Amino acid sequence: MRPLLFLGPALMFLGIYQIYPVFASIWFAFHDQSGRSYVGGTNFQWLVLSAEFRAALVNTVLWLAVVPAASTVLGLLSASLTSQIGWGRIAKMLMVLPMALSSVGAASIWKFVYDFRGAGLEQIGLLNAIVVGLGGEPQAWMALPFWNSFLLMVIVIWMQTGFAMIVLSAALHAIPAAMIEAARIDGANGFQLFFWIIVPQMRGAIAVVFLAIFVITLKVFDVVLAMTNGQWNSKVLAHLMFDLMFRGGGDLGRGAAVALVILILVAPILTWKVANARAGKDG
Amino acid sequence: MKPLRRFAVHLSALVFVVAWTLPSLGVLVTSLRDRDQVAVSGWWTALSSSSRMQVYRVPEDKGEPVDGRYIVTGSLPGNGEVLIAWGVSSLQPTYFAAGETANLTGGGTLRVEADGSFFLSGTESFARTHRQRIFYSVTAGPRLTMENYANVLFAAGVGRSFLNSAIVAVPATVIPALIAAFAAYALAWMRFPGRWLLRLIVVGLLVVPLQMSLIPLLAFYNSAGHAMGFDPKSYIGVWAAHTGFGMPLAIHLLQNRMAGVPREIVESARMDGAGDFHIFTRIVLPLTFPALVSFGIFQFMWVWNDLLVALVFLGPQDDTLVLTGRLINLMGTNGGDWAMLSASACVASAVPILVFLALQKRVESGLLGIALK
């Protein structure tokens, strides 16, 4: 009885806000836009046939292919660089600051970088000013289909690299100095040392960082909402779902179907996490 | 290390730092610039001086008769800016340098000094002639201003939204921390059936995206509000939502730390007849308080920076709009007003940045706790 007293409020919140919705989403995915009548697989049929969904799925897969890997690699690189210099602490502090920003705040910062004025006008956006300074034509970056997605990814990578750097810095420091010394004595050069000794030692931390950013990337929605609102073929699943919830009075059925697709994309990580937790059962 | 390699390392680190700070610096500088300058020149020009063309028409004045000539003196408007060049026709607005004298048609002369004072003299009264125009260019030094901040805080609704964000964030941090602390204690130190299953569920829920919950909860809020006659969009609703969404991380983080409290301490307290409530509040909680603070920091920053939950459960209407929502609106409607947008972005970011800087050590150790257990 006593455990229930301690657990009660938490169980209630977990139940209403996390567990019930998973099952309810499945239920909603098989019902119409208002969630009242059963429509069978119609919503999934719509998903398969909808060009909008396909575009969002392709973009999401692109995001997942680029953002976690790029953030992890940049985090590893910056962790390694900052560990070798005297002003590493300051460098790290400056690099993690974007982590504290909201996605919308970061988007407004980068909207300014990507700002576009017609050719001949003075460019006030940094990127176009550089392009013009090098003799190029200014571009409306956000309206360039395909490439705009990558420019949006830059924002998220910029925000997540600090997180990767902190965790990987700690893992880097945890490598025994004797091991590195031994490899040096055996004649390993910098690259060999890095790829054969340091990276394998850190693979646990690298996996954790990669997967955490993978999950974060899948949920990215505010950056797209703020920068393009999904125009110019930049939609991703999380944004499409938000759009479906509110556009034209909302379509709960299709929205829930998209949510299920998002869940399927994290399912492998979920299984891995739970399996890991089970393996560490005695801990 | 070889000197060349050393140099390469420092240079690469510098490139990283510049790339990671320059975009934010741009917005910070922009927010402090004069609104008119923001629209016409890049923020990187803010700290160098720029030249500006002006035109001035000498006021109506017959002129002071001195030695048979009529003299008008005065000063060109300008706030201490330095005059570089001037002219009397729009075709050649910078024909004369400061201190030079121009011969006007009709026998008059005009001299303009670098400090902006001018000296106009003519052979007859200026009463019937047209008022003389003076074109001049000045260098405007860098001018930084707090005007944009005053504008957004008091006029653009950012002040109100700041308050809304605080109203949302503080309870949405305290409530889940409290509730999760009790649950984490139960999971770490109490024996009951299903304990392991519950731990696994919590770990699994850590990765379930928020998106899964939105539609069922939106429908639930709406029908519950409809049935019981309350507004489905309310602060209470958004606090509860953040509490629910923050619960897995809070329980996971705290339970790990609480399980790390030495068994002997807890067991000996039990021997002495202390109840669970006593052990929790007097022993376990004080020992794991830092973890509670770590969670509090993350939850606060996450809630403060959140847009999605606030939009879904609090709505986009003006009186309850949070800062992130306000920022989105500014980006949409006033796409060109960078002075406003940049100042608002800085106001919105100031709180999490300050929290982050003030508690950086704690944030870092908390991150490591989450990432590496």
Side-chain angles (χ1 to χ4, degrees):
Chain A
M1 197 54 221
R2 171 99 13 98
L4 209 58
L5 227 56
F6 275 69
L7 280 167
L11 285 180
M12 190 188 81
F13 277 103
L14 282 176
I16 296 177
Y17 286 90
Q18 304 251 322
I19 296 166
Y20 154 75
V22 173
F23 296 102
S25 281
I26 298 172
W27 188 87
F28 272 105
F30 291 96
H31 284 73
D32 72 344
Q33 56 191 32
S34 61
R36 278 193 210 99
S37 38
Y38 179 76
V39 293
T42 317
N43 291 323
F44 293 95
Q45 199 179 349
W46 172 80
L47 286 192
V48 174
L49 297 175
S50 154
E52 194 184 12
F53 171 78
R54 264 204 308 275
L57 183 65
V58 168
N59 279 337
T60 301
V61 170
L62 267 181
W63 276 74
L64 292 175
V66 173
V67 176
S71 311
T72 309
V73 168
L74 288 173
L76 185 58
L77 203 60
S78 53
S80 154
L81 286 171
T82 49
S83 72
Q84 298 176 46
I85 54 178
W87 49 286
R89 270 209 71 78
I90 300 168
K92 272 195 216 162
M93 194 204 78
L94 290 170
M95 282 192 62
V96 291
L97 276 188
M99 233 173 71
L101 299 173
S102 61
S103 301
V104 185
S108 58
I109 287 173
W110 282 84
K111 201 172 181 141
F112 198 44
V113 174
Y114 295 150
D115 185 80
F116 164 72
R117 304 283 158 108
L121 293 172
E122 185 163 350
Q123 298 295 331
I124 64 166
L126 191 59
L127 186 57
N128 271 323
I130 293 172
V131 167
V132 170
L134 295 174
E137 281 287 303
Q139 299 284 337
W141 303 109
M142 285 303 108
L144 289 178
F146 187 69
W147 299 110
N148 55 7
S149 284
F150 289 91
L151 293 171
L152 296 181
M153 289 177 206
V154 166
I155 303 174
V156 177
I157 294 170
W158 180 76
M159 292 178 75
Q160 296 304 329
T161 298
F163 160 68
M165 185 186 64
I166 291 200
V167 176
L168 296 175
S169 277
L172 195 63
H173 282 292
I175 297 175
M179 182 178 279
I180 292 174
E181 213 37 58
R184 272 235 172 82
I185 290 167
D186 289 345
N189 65 29
F191 280 98
Q192 289 168 330
L193 196 68
F194 189 73
F195 286 107
W196 294 0
I197 309 291
I198 294 176
V199 171
Q201 280 286 314
M202 294 168 67
R203 63 178 183 277
I206 291 174
V208 165
V209 165
F210 181 91
L211 293 178
I213 299 177
F214 188 95
V215 175
I216 291 169
T217 306
L218 196 56
K219 293 191 279 191
V220 166
F221 127 90
D222 357 24
V223 171
V224 176
L225 179 76
M227 299 293 284
T228 63
N229 199 11
Q231 284 170 284
W232 306 294
N233 201 14
S234 62
K235 222 173 222 119
V236 292
L237 289 180
H239 180 272
L240 175 64
M241 196 215 138
F242 179 80
D243 216 24
L244 286 170
M245 277 175 74
F246 293 108
R247 191 207 296 159
D251 189 329
L252 300 184
R254 288 177 181 178
V258 174
L260 285 185
V261 175
I262 297 176
L263 184 68
I264 291 168
L265 287 172
V266 284
I269 298 179
L270 198 135
T271 328
W272 182 81
K273 272 248 173 201
V274 172
N276 253 11
R278 279 188 66 173
K281 188 171 171 158
D282 314 306
Chain B
M1 248 193 288
K2 297 189 194 93
L4 193 65
R5 206 181 107 73
R6 265 210 90 68
F7 176 74
V9 167
H10 279 274
L11 190 69
S12 318
L14 191 67
V15 168
F16 261 104
V17 169
V18 168
W20 260 257
T21 48
L22 209 57
S24 320
L25 187 69
V27 165
L28 181 64
V29 170
T30 300
S31 73
L32 294 168
R33 290 181 76 198
D34 189 81
R35 203 169 168 166
D36 299 326
Q37 290 188 346
V38 167
V40 295
S41 62
W43 61 268
W44 49 90
T45 62
L47 296 177
S48 60
S49 28
S50 57
S51 63
R52 192 155 48 91
M53 282 303 304
Q54 302 263 65
V55 61
Y56 178 69
R57 205 180 265 274
V58 174
E60 229 167 302
D61 189 338
K62 287 199 292 287
E64 197 71 24
V66 177
D67 297 340
R69 290 181 75 92
Y70 289 83
I71 309 292
V72 177
T73 58
S75 190
L76 298 173
N79 359 336
E81 297 155 324
V82 177
L83 183 139
I84 320 161
W86 59 281
V88 289
S89 94
S90 59
L91 297 175
Q92 292 177 310
T94 54
Y95 189 74
F96 301 102
E100 283 184 333
T101 303
N103 290 316
L104 304 173
T105 47
T109 61
L110 173 63
R111 193 175 77 238
V112 180
E113 302 289 351
D115 64 358
S117 61
F118 63 85
F119 182 85
L120 178 65
S121 98
T123 49
E124 52 190 83
S125 155
F126 291 100
R128 275 189 299 274
T129 61
H130 70 275
R131 290 158 59 200
Q132 179 65 43
R133 282 187 303 172
I134 306 175
F135 299 88
Y136 60 106
S137 97
V138 289
T139 51
R143 199 162 82 81
L144 298 180
T145 164
M146 293 302 282
E147 236 167 70
N148 300 325
Y149 284 94
N151 275 346
V152 297
L153 280 179
F154 302 114
V158 172
R160 171 74 228 183
S161 287
F162 190 92
L163 201 63
N164 292 342
S165 280
I167 294 174
V168 171
V170 174
T173 302
V174 176
I175 300 170
L178 263 177
I179 292 179
F182 278 94
Y185 174 82
L187 282 177
W189 289 107
M190 292 164 109
R191 307 216 152 267
F192 58 91
R195 186 163 81 132
W196 263 104
L197 185 66
L198 200 52
R199 282 196 203 173
L200 289 184
I201 289 174
V202 168
V203 170
L205 289 177
L206 277 176
V207 266
V208 171
L210 184 56
Q211 269 79 7
M212 284 303 293
S213 304
L214 295 180
I215 285 179
L217 288 175
L218 188 68
F220 174 68
Y221 270 51
N222 283 339
S223 55
H226 198 72
M228 287 181 262
F230 61 83
D231 186 2
K233 313 265 187 223
S234 68
Y235 284 119
I236 295 177
V238 87
W239 293 334
H242 276 303
T243 302
F245 298 140
M247 203 48 59
L249 178 66
I251 296 179
H252 182 68
L253 199 70
L254 294 174
Q255 176 225 302
N256 272 333
R257 293 298 172 85
M258 287 183 180
V261 171
R263 179 163 291 275
E264 305 83 68
I265 299 181
V266 177
E267 291 301 333
S268 66
R270 278 222 176 99
M271 295 292 202
D272 296 342
D276 278 312
F277 189 76
H278 185 94
I279 298 175
F280 170 64
T281 53
R282 296 292 166 80
I283 299 171
V284 174
L285 200 56
L287 283 174
T288 53
F289 196 69
L292 200 65
V293 175
S294 286
F295 165 75
I297 298 168
F298 286 116
Q299 177 76 359
F300 179 83
M301 296 211 315
W302 145 252
V303 173
W304 186 275
N305 287 337
D306 158 78
L307 173 70
L308 187 54
V309 176
L311 273 188
V312 173
F313 295 103
L314 202 51
Q317 65 280 12
D318 204 63
D319 55 331
T320 53
L321 195 60
V322 293
L323 270 174
T324 46
R326 182 74 61 186
L327 218 47
I328 286 267
N329 283 359
L330 280 173
M331 285 164 101
T333 51
N334 302 353
D337 197 338
W338 277 108
M340 287 260 269
L341 180 55
S342 60
S344 309
C346 290
V347 170
S349 308
V351 170
I353 292 268
L354 287 179
V355 169
F356 191 88
L357 285 179
L359 302 165
Q360 202 185 0
K361 277 262 153 58
R362 179 112 292 149
V363 174
E364 282 190 22
S365 68
L367 263 185
L368 295 174
I370 293 170
L372 307 172
K373 277 200 281 191

